[in-house]
Structure formats: structure tokens, C-alpha cells
Amino acid sequence: MARSSRPRKRESAPPNPPKSRPAPLPPVEAVPAWAEGGLLLPEQPTVAHARCVLRRFWKYDDFRPAQRRVVESVLEGRDVLAVLPTGAGKSVIYQASAMLLPGVTLVVSPLISLMHDQIEGLQAKGVPAEFINSTLTPRQAEKRLLMAEAGEVKLLYVAPERFDSPTFCERIRRVEVSLLAVDEAHCLSVWGHDFRPAYMRLGEQRTLLGDPPVLAVTATATPQVRDDVVRGLGLEDPAVHVFPFDRPNLAWRVVRVESDDDRADALVRELRGLRGSAIVYASTQKTVDHVADLLNERGVQAIAYHAGKGTRERTELQERFMGSQVPVVVATNAFGMGIDKSDVRKVVHYNFPGTVEGYYQEGGRAGRDGRPAECVMLYSPRDASTHEFLLALTHPTRSWYVAVYHALRENVEADGTLAVSQAELARRMGWPVANPLSHCLRVLHRAGIVHHTTRRTASFFVVVRKDPEQTREMLAGGRRADDLHVLRELWKMGGGRRLYRGSWIRMRDLATIQGEIPTVRRALKRLAGEGILTWQEEEAGTRLLQRDLDPGRLPLPYDELEARRVREMGKLARMMAYAETERCRRGDLLRYFGDPEAMERCGACDNCRGRGVRAA
């Protein structure tokens, strides 16, 4: 593996790069032989080699100073944490480095759309890159793993949840992984704005990969988030590069609105006469659709993008926006991550964002060409009340859990099964339609007090009826590849021949490997129709497992739950402070991230120009 072929250096690195600009690299007069035709790797790659790769594949003459420093640390074989602002070219750091390292650079990326965009761009440049995710058939995924094993792929993109697949973990062991690149690394921290639990397990998976060096990159990370990333990934003596967050070409504004109609009118005013493109962020799928319809009705051409639309439709919508066929996209906050569209002149937050980190990253998708752009928030003081209400639903206090436990004991059958629907249970408790019951049940389930399943989390009992030889004969020829793959995964997850007696399998576990849950259900139905297996899905519902507990002493992690609630309320309070501040907004954002270059006046935000929210 990479560590045995090129030991890592252990010199200590300063936590922040020096402010002085480093001396430029000596000019490279000609591309060396190793970078012509087939790619022959140098024994000890340097930044000069990386610059040749950059010229050949990306057609840039040189790295930016920030990129250059990070590339140098990566090529030294060190663990690296790099925090660079949106638009600073984070992805090209690990992409160019990958071309100089033996084996494969495994890139952990959070979004399928982000993978598709990057792979499409890399392949167009001639870079051997592939992805493995749920959009592929098992046969396609296996082919790409074989390519990586044979050294035909330099960059392989996967989602963090891919490591939940036993098959993938078994297969990736055979691949020489020289670098583990963790994109959007802030997702690893509960203090980050896009926390993904699967990121927390990457430190353990590093051993599975042969303990390669790690490059963790993100655009927004406070000191606390950076500490979480280093600790969570197990980075050893890492080179930590934290570059200024400032984007001088962005002007930050907050527009005060008093009603829903006022908010809609303000949005239309912001987008009429737009030159270039714009992204409008809304908090829910329903709001996204509403806002897109509103804009189109008022003469502003817009499309709606969110996870409720099918994969193919989302791809088509994104292509229309990226190709400038439509100027405005209204989306939930996942849209835009890693999207490099240079002419976004305005980003508008239609709804109040919950965190400064999310707001800054989403706003940073404007002006990636370096030209002037605006980041606008539509704000009403009532927005905080809405967020506080939503936070109360997802972070209930101790008394809520006690109340739910009491209600469960009074409304279950003799076997512990809940005798009424969740909606009826909430009604009997005197709770409104919007309530924290679902969240409370999930926490009680994790504690083993109740068994709570939804259609997505339910398990199914499966029995295989045919022996392996009969099964192979029945599935030979033109049968669907994913049917055979489902059987193989069932065999591993269900304990091999134990499947002839029957095994319980979690639908979500199988879907993580195979694809979306409807795809798995269709495959199971086809196999059952052929008489190869029988399966019975567990009914969604709630069953009380422990009914004799002292309600005042439920074995729940109250301290942890309360810490989460306080943390989220603190983030909301900080976002409110930004919306209400009379100081320079740009400086306020930079101070939040601990940037020593934070200014008192930028001359471009609404407050510096005397048009702040209080004057609106």
C-alpha cells in the first residue's frame, strides 16, 4: 500500500499557512516524458510534476498559491486537512495528485449528483475516473471495481454509506488505495451544517483500505469542526491548511420582509432583469415548487429542483440550468454542492437559513468567476420563531419522552403492539398535528424500549426454496443481473445455508448495497414469482418492549440529547445575530470562522452602504 511504498514525513506543520506569498515555482519548459502519452509515475512526485499534470489535463499554467501548498503536503504522503473557500478549486487538488500516485485515489463524496458532474468533467479531460453508487447495476459496479483493481482507474468516487455494504468492503480490499480523499469533510462533525453519520465511520474504514494517507477538504469549518475532522478521521500529525474565507467579489445583503406576500414581491424584484444565473434556496420541497411556480407566473423563468423528483428528471433539470437554458433554479440546500457554474450572479435565501456555515457555503456558489455577485437573504423576525418551533420537534426535552412512554403504556395491546395510529396517539396526548412523536419513538427504539419501524426501516423474513444449482439454471440467460445480485447479497447477509430455514433481513441494509428500496422489492417479487424464494415483510408499526420501567428514569442519553438541542439553538441564535447586525456583514461572517483578516468595513454589504436591514 501507499505507506509502505512512500513513508510519510513527520515534520510538524504550522496550523495556518504563512501570510507571505511563496516564491513561484521555476518554469517548466516542456512536459517531461512521463507525462506524455501513457502516464509513467515519477518515483518521488513534486509540485513541478503536478503542474505538468495540471497543464496536460486541465489546461491551467499553474496552481493557485493555496492549492499548491496543499498539493505539496499530499505528495509528501502526509495526512492533510485543507479548508479553502468555495470556488478555490478544492477538487482539482486531489484529482491532480491522484495522477501522480500509484494505485487509486478513493474519493468519498456526499451526493450522487456531485459525483456525476465531476466524473463527466474528468472523463472529458481524459482522466480515468469512475464512480460506484446506487444508480449502477451490480454488473456495472463490479466492472468498475475490476477496472480499479487492474489499475485502469485513478479516481474512484463513492458515497460514505457505500462502506456499509459487506460486498463493497470485501472487494475494495483488493484495490491498491494510495490516497483517501474525503470531500465536504465538515459532514463528519455534528457541529457542521451537513452532518452525515456515515462520515463518522470513515476513520475505521481507513484500516480496511490499508491505512493510506488521508486528504480531508471542505469549504466551511470553524475551529471546533476542524478538531472533529482530525479526531474522527484519525489524522496523524496532519498538515493543516486553513486559508482565508473571504470572497471579495461577493456583496452580502439582508432584505427585511413583513409578510408572505412581501417576501414573494421582494424575490421577484431581486430576479427581474437578472444578468446571468441565480440560485434560490427554499427550506422544503413544497416551498421550492411553490416559489418556482410563483416566479414563472410573474415572468421570471425558473425550474424547481429537489429530492422529490426522480433521478432522471433531476439530471435533466440540472443540465438545463448548467447549460443556461433557464436562468433561475429554486432548490433545497443540497443543490449546488460542487457545481461549478461560473455566471451565478445572485444567490437568494427565500427562507431563513438555520446555520451560518450553511448560509456561507450556499451563498459562496455565486460569483465563482471572480466577478461581482450578490448573496441576499429575505428575512423577517418571525423566521426565528419558525425555526425554534421546528427545532423543538426534532430535539424534544426530557418531559416529552416521559409523556410518550406514559401514553404508550396506556394505548398498547396485551402483546405490546400500539393499538392506535401515531396520529391518534398524538391526539389523545393533546398534541397538535405537528409534534415530536416520531422523533421520540426513534430515540426510544434506539434505546431498546420500543420496536418502531416504518416502511423504510422494516425487516423481512426470507426463505430460499431452490438449491444453488437450480437457482443458477433458472437465472441463466437473459435474466436481470440485479435479481442474481440480490440473491448473492441475501446469501451473505442471511448466513448462507441458513436461508433455507429462513432469516430476517433489514430492507434498508439490502437497499444500501443494491439500490433504492423499490428496486429491491421488485427484485424480491420477481424471485418469489419464479418460486426461488418466499418473503414476508414486517408490518410497519410500534410495539412497546419494556412496559415496567420507571418513567422518571428511562435509560435514555438525556445529556447527549440536551447537548444537541442546545447546540442547534446556539447555531440559530448566531444566525439571527447575523441577520440583525448593524456591523459589516462580510466582516461578521469572517469573524465567525476565525479568519484573522476579518474587516470592520467592506464597503460593499448593505450595512456598509447604509442600506442595512434596519434601514429597509
Side-chain angles (χ1 to χ4, degrees):
M1 286 301 187
R3 289 194 182 186
S4 59
S5 61
R6 188 174 61 253
R8 290 205 249 165
K9 297 184 178 180
R10 292 297 177 200
E11 297 88 343
S12 60
N16 292 299
K19 295 182 182 180
S20 58
R21 184 185 180 96
L25 289 170
V28 179
E29 299 300 336
V31 177
W34 60 264
E36 297 176 349
L39 191 63
L40 303 178
L41 301 179
E43 285 189 18
Q44 183 58 55
T46 66
V47 175
H49 293 120
R51 185 164 66 179
C52 294
V53 168
L54 189 72
R55 287 179 175 178
R56 176 183 170 189
F57 293 99
W58 282 267
K59 310 305 179 187
Y60 296 131
D61 288 334
D62 199 356
F63 293 102
R64 297 168 182 169
Q67 292 173 316
R68 185 187 306 151
R69 294 172 190 163
V70 181
V71 168
E72 185 173 18
S73 295
V74 171
L75 295 180
E76 288 175 350
R78 300 188 62 178
D79 283 344
V80 182
L81 169 61
V83 184
L84 299 92
T86 300
K90 295 181 294 296
S91 58
V92 79
I93 291 172
Y94 55 77
Q95 290 167 354
S97 298
M99 303 301 289
L100 295 167
L101 299 174
V104 172
T105 289
L106 189 65
V107 182
V108 176
S109 181
L111 293 177
I112 288 177
S113 60
L114 175 57
M115 291 185 204
H116 287 201
D117 290 336
Q118 293 207 3
I119 294 300
E120 184 177 328
L122 289 169
Q123 291 178 344
K125 293 177 175 67
V127 176
E130 295 289 352
F131 63 80
I132 295 177
N133 59 37
S134 59
T135 65
L136 302 180
T137 65
R139 183 173 296 176
Q140 290 172 323
E142 175 65 17
K143 179 180 178 181
R144 295 181 184 195
L145 281 168
L146 288 173
M147 291 171 62
E149 191 176 343
E152 299 173 11
V153 174
K154 296 302 295 179
L155 288 137
L156 182 64
Y157 283 67
V158 298
E161 290 80 7
R162 180 58 44 178
F163 288 98
D164 294 337
S165 162
T167 300
F168 177 78
C169 290
E170 177 186 335
R171 289 290 286 104
I172 200 65
R173 287 177 183 269
R174 307 177 199 171
V175 178
E176 181 187 6
V177 177
S178 297
L179 177 67
L180 175 61
V182 181
D183 205 354
E184 307 295 347
H186 64 270
C187 294
L188 186 138
S189 172
V190 293
W191 290 93
H193 56 289
D194 290 314
F195 176 61
R196 290 272 287 271
Y199 269 79
M200 297 288 288
R201 299 188 285 275
L202 292 178
E204 301 172 6
Q205 304 302 340
R206 179 180 182 175
T207 303
L208 168 75
L209 301 172
D211 202 25
V214 175
L215 166 62
V217 295
T218 183
T220 50
T222 62
Q224 187 165 20
V225 171
R226 299 198 290 268
D227 289 343
D228 285 351
V229 172
V230 170
R231 192 165 45 248
L233 292 175
L235 303 187
E236 302 174 22
D237 185 29
V240 180
H241 297 278
V242 181
F243 297 96
F245 289 84
D246 195 14
R247 296 279 303 283
N249 63 313
L250 301 184
W252 302 85
R253 283 197 291 120
V254 175
V255 176
R256 183 77 165 258
V257 295
E258 301 299 337
S259 65
D260 291 343
D261 289 342
D262 194 13
R263 192 182 300 268
D265 292 341
L267 177 64
V268 173
R269 286 195 300 270
E270 290 291 335
L271 298 178
R272 275 194 177 139
L274 174 72
R275 294 185 179 181
S277 303
I279 302 174
V280 178
Y281 285 110
S283 57
T284 66
Q285 295 179 14
K286 181 178 179 180
T287 306
V288 166
D289 289 331
H290 167 72
V291 172
D293 290 342
L294 179 151
L295 290 173
N296 284 304
E297 290 170 1
R298 300 205 189 180
V300 178
Q301 189 180 5
I303 55 174
Y305 183 102
H306 55 68
K309 298 181 181 294
T311 302
R312 180 175 298 179
E313 184 180 5
R314 291 200 306 271
T315 300
E316 292 174 352
L317 290 170
Q318 184 170 307
E319 289 175 350
R320 287 179 62 194
F321 178 69
M322 295 297 291
S324 298
Q325 298 171 28
V326 61
V328 179
V329 60
V330 186
T332 47
N333 63 1
F335 180 82
M337 190 178 289
I339 302 301
D340 188 8
K341 183 169 173 58
S342 62
D343 70 338
V344 176
R345 301 269 65 85
K346 190 170 289 191
V347 170
V348 182
H349 279 79
Y350 187 79
N351 297 119
F352 187 70
T355 69
V356 176
E357 292 94 338
Y359 175 61
Y360 190 76
Q361 186 178 59
E362 291 149 18
R365 290 161 189 164
R368 297 187 68 156
D369 55 3
R371 295 175 54 204
E374 288 189 305
C375 307
V376 181
M377 180 201 303
L378 307 183
Y379 164 69
S380 166
R382 295 180 304 162
D383 292 341
S385 299
T386 301
H387 271 272
E388 288 171 354
F389 173 73
L390 295 175
L391 284 176
L393 298 184
T394 55
H395 297 81
T397 59
R398 184 173 188 150
S399 61
W400 295 74
Y401 294 106
V402 173
V404 170
Y405 183 71
H406 272 298
L408 287 173
R409 291 205 303 192
E410 295 172 359
N411 290 278
V412 296
E413 306 284 2
D415 64 352
T417 302
L418 184 62
V420 297
S421 67
Q422 282 191 44
E424 175 60 19
L425 182 65
R427 190 190 69 77
R428 293 184 181 186
M429 296 175 66
W431 285 0
V433 174
N435 60 69
L437 179 58
S438 292
H439 181 85
C440 290
L441 289 173
R442 286 195 296 271
V443 172
L444 292 168
H445 173 85
R446 287 196 294 270
I449 298 171
V450 305
H451 181 71
H452 175 65
T453 58
T454 63
R455 186 164 172 79
R456 173 171 174 77
T457 61
S459 300
F460 62 95
F461 189 75
V462 59
V463 181
V464 172
R465 300 297 185 186
K466 303 292 183 182
D467 63 40
E469 188 60 35
Q470 290 175 310
T471 301
R472 278 193 293 270
E473 291 178 1
M474 296 182 71
L475 294 180
R479 293 298 303 267
R480 295 177 61 97
D482 48 356
D483 291 358
L484 186 57
H485 191 263
V486 163
L487 272 176
R488 287 172 178 161
E489 296 302 332
L490 285 174
W491 188 266
K492 296 173 185 174
M493 299 172 68
R497 291 189 172 275
R498 262 193 340 203
L499 276 177
Y500 292 115
R501 300 191 302 271
S503 290
W504 282 100
I505 306 291
R506 282 208 314 170
M507 181 65 75
R508 182 169 56 187
D509 290 344
L510 185 57
T512 298
I513 301 165
Q514 174 61 31
E516 298 177 354
I517 286 178
T519 303
V520 173
R521 286 199 178 98
R522 286 193 292 269
L524 291 171
K525 288 178 181 178
R526 286 192 297 268
L527 292 168
E530 295 287 342
I532 294 173
L533 56 78
T534 58
W535 67 293
Q536 180 63 48
E537 191 165 6
E538 174 187 24
E539 291 187 12
T542 303
R543 184 159 47 93
L544 183 60
L545 302 178
Q546 301 184 51
R547 63 174 69 195
D548 298 323
L549 297 174
D550 180 352
R553 297 188 177 184
L554 295 177
L556 298 179
Y558 286 121
D559 289 345
E560 178 185 340
L561 294 169
E562 177 62 13
R564 290 179 184 176
R565 189 185 70 83
V566 171
R567 182 172 61 240
E568 294 305 314
M569 292 298 292
K571 289 182 178 182
L572 175 60
R574 184 60 182 83
M575 193 68 239
M576 284 295 299
Y578 168 83
E580 295 281 1
T581 188
E582 296 180 354
R583 299 177 67 183
C584 172
R585 295 196 192 281
R586 186 166 139 206
D588 186 65
L589 291 169
L590 297 181
R591 275 187 291 276
Y592 178 80
F593 291 108
D595 192 329
E597 303 297 323
M599 68 289 295
E600 291 299 325
R601 290 188 61 80
C602 69
C605 73
D606 53 354
N607 284 339
C608 287
R609 299 177 67 181
R611 295 185 297 190
V613 65
R614 294 185 183 280

